Amino acid sequence: MTFSAFPDTAIHSSKIWTTLITNAKYVPGVITLDYSLKKVGSNYPLVAMYTEQLDDESIRALTRRNIPIRKIHQLNPVESPELSADPRFADCWSKLYIFKLVEFNRVVELDSDMVVRQNMDELMEIPLGKEIAFGSTPACVCNPFGLQHYPKDWIPSNCSFTDYHEKKKQTVDPEDDYFDCKGPVAEMGLKKCNGGLIMIEPSLENYNRILDALQDPQKTARYQFPDQELLADVFEDHWLCLSYVYNSLKSFTACHKDIWDLEKIKNIHYIITPKPWNVKRGEYEDATGTFVHWWDVDDERRVGERERGIRDEYSTA
């Protein structure tokens, strides 16, 4: 079966979640992300955007579970940065294709290494306004894993999440109807965003600005964190900071314990490696204590799939 043999799924919703998948390694993540959204009762579908890099069997695994698919063109800059220390970022440019999906009123892009714990459909309603290109959470710049290739100014004192509640009190109007959904303004940190969650109203004007930036080697060659750095650069001062609850990094358990509250957190993001599906319960010592939340949802998904007669490598124990 060829790549073109998989037609795009008809989507009967003006608002969607999306996730990008370019290789088979992330199929378990996409499947469990989709299940977690359904488990918390989201009213909107997760659409898997895939490129020609994805193999046929991976696409079948998605469609077998009624996950809508959308074929997209791979986006690449005219000159890529040096990413040997972080090859996982090489395909991230294609996430920015969401800006072209103008047939939808709202798109919220989620990384596939996430698990949704509470309904967060309000992200489909938060107003952006004409001057705001996207909403996202700030990047955590604490570098808790001590990665040597990260920028030298990525330190806790420059992080938007340090003294989070005080910063939010200073910069978010308590009378704002969406106070609980918003975080401290970008100026409270290094003005960097985390590309794991991007909330937009698709716009060809903004998409073309992104394409222009991809053709500018003076920009792209210096982006160390491709998609998110491009967004923060091209749309500087024109993006909305969202609350940490929508994109809570597993590393928060080490560097931001004051905001790690599972009663409030709606979405956990399993940054770096390993991913929860790469290791097994009882065999991996998870210093963050977060993997159990993904494993529990994944186990529940597998049981349900077997009961429904779905049997493949992603449904077996």
Side-chain angles (χ1 to χ4, degrees), residues 214-276:
L214 289 173
Q215 296 302 310
D216 184 346
Q218 291 186 336
K219 288 182 178 292
T220 60
R222 63 181 172 82
Y223 291 147
Q224 195 166 347
F225 307 94
D227 58 308
Q228 63 189 45
E229 205 159 354
L230 183 149
L231 286 175
D233 183 16
V234 173
F235 302 110
E236 184 177 5
D237 299 326
H238 293 280
W239 62 280
L240 173 68
C241 283
L242 298 172
S243 170
Y244 74 93
V245 302
Y246 299 115
N247 188 1
S248 290
L249 313 186
K250 69 177 186 182
S251 53
F252 284 179
T253 58
C255 57
H256 295 296
K257 294 181 180 179
D258 58 316
I259 58 173
W260 188 263
D261 183 348
L262 287 174
E263 292 188 4
K264 296 180 180 179
I265 289 170
K266 297 195 171 190
N267 182 30
I268 300 176
H269 189 179
Y270 295 92
I271 60 169
I272 319 291
T273 54
K275 303 304 181 186

Side-chain angles (χ1 to χ4, degrees), residues 88-122:
R88 59 199 168 98
F89 289 141
D91 293 330
C92 286
W93 308 103
S94 295
K95 288 197 291 184
L96 302 177
Y97 191 92
I98 59 173
F99 283 85
K100 192 178 182 181
L101 302 178
V102 293
E103 65 267 43
F104 302 104
N105 296 333
R106 176 64 60 95
V107 174
V108 181
E109 168 84 14
L110 301 173
D111 275 0
S112 53
D113 56 347
M114 290 177 159
V115 67
V116 179
R117 292 179 49 82
Q118 297 184 44
N119 188 293
M120 53 185 191
D121 281 0
E122 62 272 17

Side-chain angles (χ1 to χ4, degrees), residues 148-167:
Q148 294 299 309
H149 63 283
Y150 273 29
K152 299 305 179 185
D153 59 354
W154 278 45
I155 55 177
S157 60
N158 287 336
C159 186
S160 293
F161 298 105
T162 300
D163 299 321
Y164 179 88
H165 295 295
E166 181 58 32
K167 289 175 179 175

Side-chain angles (χ1 to χ4, degrees), residues 2-4 6 8 19-24 27 30 47-59 62 69-76 90-98 109:
T2 64
F3 175 70
S4 60
F6 296 97
D8 288 347
T19 194
L20 173 69
I21 179 166
T22 60
N23 64 74
V27 171
V30 173
V47 179
M49 301 192 309
Y50 71 102
T51 65
E52 60 185 3
Q53 300 158 277
L54 190 64
D55 64 284
D56 286 0
E57 187 48 46
S58 293
I59 300 173
L62 301 178
I69 57 171
R70 171 66 65 94
K71 177 180 66 177
I72 67 168
H73 300 295
Q74 187 175 357
L75 294 181
N76 284 306
D91 293 330
C92 286
W93 308 103
S94 295
K95 288 197 291 184
L96 302 177
Y97 191 92
I98 59 173
E109 168 84 14

